[in-house]
Amino acid sequence: ESYDQVTAAFADDNARALSKAEISLSRHKDVLKNARRKETLCLRHVSREIAIEKSAWFHLANNCCMSILYNLRRIDEVCLEHVDNNFLPLPQRLRGDFDEIRSRTRILFNDTLDVLDTGAIDTVPMLRHRCDELKDNISATVHTLHDSLRDGDPGTISVLYVYLNTLQETQELISSLRKFLRATAKLHSNFNS
């Protein structure tokens, strides 16, 4: 939801929505820290063998969550600064690619949440593959954007740099999601054995 809110606010040039997202993301950081503390205490109550086996995956999953949050905050920060300074909005010609990336990212996150809710860990390899495909798509969009930066209108340079930053942070976010999926699968493997 946060990714969708922030990127939609950037595309719509909506500073108020970006400010609200900034506050919300700050609260999410506290929630993640508190959850990590509680989960760490729970890890102390499992057998030593399981704790040793699972602790690395547990910490990797938590670090990935924090990384995703950091990427979201970074996107919001840059977009808010851009919109607050009344620079040009995102050109219409870039909206189609951006909307597709936003949609695929949202669907990927929703599918990840479904896996966590249902425990369908067997679908993790397919989701990780979709992460790779999305990262490749974003990479192609970034290469096209680089050409626009070299050959484009100097008046749109600032918004193109914000868009570039948003795409790069999204790519990092997807990388963290991919790692999170792997860690989640490893955490749940052989847990019920």
Short mmCIF file of all heavy atoms in Angstrom, two decimals, residues 10 49 73 109 129-130 154 177 186-187:
data_model
loop_
_atom_site.label_atom_id
_atom_site.label_comp_id
_atom_site.label_asym_id
_atom_site.label_seq_id
_atom_site.Cartn_x
_atom_site.Cartn_y
_atom_site.Cartn_z
N PHE A 10 3.55 10.76 -6.45
CA PHE A 10 4.57 11.35 -7.32
C PHE A 10 4.02 11.57 -8.72
O PHE A 10 4.16 12.65 -9.29
CB PHE A 10 5.81 10.44 -7.37
CG PHE A 10 6.77 10.80 -8.47
CD1 PHE A 10 7.37 12.05 -8.52
CD2 PHE A 10 7.09 9.88 -9.45
CE1 PHE A 10 8.25 12.38 -9.54
CE2 PHE A 10 7.96 10.19 -10.47
CZ PHE A 10 8.55 11.45 -10.52
N GLU A 49 19.03 -26.42 18.52
CA GLU A 49 19.33 -26.87 17.15
C GLU A 49 18.54 -26.06 16.12
O GLU A 49 19.08 -25.62 15.10
CB GLU A 49 19.03 -28.36 16.98
CG GLU A 49 19.91 -29.27 17.80
CD GLU A 49 19.47 -29.36 19.28
OE1 GLU A 49 18.29 -29.08 19.59
OE2 GLU A 49 20.32 -29.67 20.12
N ARG A 73 11.02 4.78 2.04
CA ARG A 73 11.26 6.11 2.62
C ARG A 73 12.12 6.96 1.70
O ARG A 73 11.91 8.17 1.59
CB ARG A 73 11.90 5.97 4.00
CG ARG A 73 10.94 5.35 5.02
CD ARG A 73 11.54 5.21 6.36
NE ARG A 73 11.56 6.52 6.99
CZ ARG A 73 12.17 6.78 8.14
NH1 ARG A 73 12.80 5.83 8.78
NH2 ARG A 73 12.13 7.99 8.65
N PHE A 109 3.85 -7.75 -4.41
CA PHE A 109 3.74 -7.63 -2.96
C PHE A 109 2.48 -8.31 -2.44
O PHE A 109 2.52 -8.99 -1.41
CB PHE A 109 3.76 -6.16 -2.53
CG PHE A 109 5.14 -5.65 -2.22
CD1 PHE A 109 5.82 -4.87 -3.13
CD2 PHE A 109 5.76 -5.97 -1.03
CE1 PHE A 109 7.09 -4.41 -2.86
CE2 PHE A 109 7.03 -5.53 -0.74
CZ PHE A 109 7.70 -4.74 -1.67
N HIS A 129 11.16 -15.78 -9.34
CA HIS A 129 11.36 -15.64 -10.78
C HIS A 129 10.66 -14.37 -11.29
O HIS A 129 11.21 -13.64 -12.12
CB HIS A 129 10.83 -16.88 -11.51
CG HIS A 129 10.97 -16.82 -12.99
ND1 HIS A 129 12.20 -16.88 -13.62
CD2 HIS A 129 10.05 -16.65 -13.97
CE1 HIS A 129 12.02 -16.76 -14.93
NE2 HIS A 129 10.72 -16.61 -15.16
N ARG A 130 9.46 -14.11 -10.78
CA ARG A 130 8.75 -12.89 -11.17
C ARG A 130 9.50 -11.64 -10.71
O ARG A 130 9.49 -10.61 -11.39
CB ARG A 130 7.32 -12.91 -10.62
CG ARG A 130 6.44 -13.87 -11.39
CD ARG A 130 5.04 -14.01 -10.87
NE ARG A 130 4.41 -12.78 -10.46
CZ ARG A 130 3.44 -12.71 -9.55
NH1 ARG A 130 2.99 -13.81 -8.95
NH2 ARG A 130 2.89 -11.55 -9.23
N PRO A 154 16.00 19.96 -21.60
CA PRO A 154 16.65 20.33 -20.34
C PRO A 154 15.67 20.76 -19.25
O PRO A 154 15.97 20.64 -18.07
CB PRO A 154 17.56 21.50 -20.73
CG PRO A 154 17.71 21.42 -22.20
CD PRO A 154 16.49 20.76 -22.73
N LEU A 177 12.91 -7.90 -1.69
CA LEU A 177 11.75 -8.78 -1.63
C LEU A 177 12.13 -10.20 -2.05
O LEU A 177 11.71 -11.18 -1.44
CB LEU A 177 10.62 -8.25 -2.51
CG LEU A 177 9.33 -9.06 -2.50
CD1 LEU A 177 8.71 -9.08 -1.11
CD2 LEU A 177 8.35 -8.50 -3.52
N LYS A 186 13.27 -20.67 3.58
CA LYS A 186 14.23 -21.42 4.41
C LYS A 186 13.76 -21.49 5.87
O LYS A 186 13.97 -22.50 6.53
CB LYS A 186 15.62 -20.76 4.35
CG LYS A 186 16.28 -20.85 3.00
CD LYS A 186 16.70 -22.27 2.70
CE LYS A 186 17.54 -22.33 1.45
NZ LYS A 186 18.04 -23.65 1.16
N LEU A 187 13.15 -20.43 6.35
CA LEU A 187 12.64 -20.45 7.72
C LEU A 187 11.54 -21.49 7.90
O LEU A 187 11.47 -22.14 8.94
CB LEU A 187 12.06 -19.07 8.08
CG LEU A 187 12.98 -18.10 8.78
CD1 LEU A 187 12.31 -16.75 8.92
CD2 LEU A 187 13.39 -18.63 10.14
#
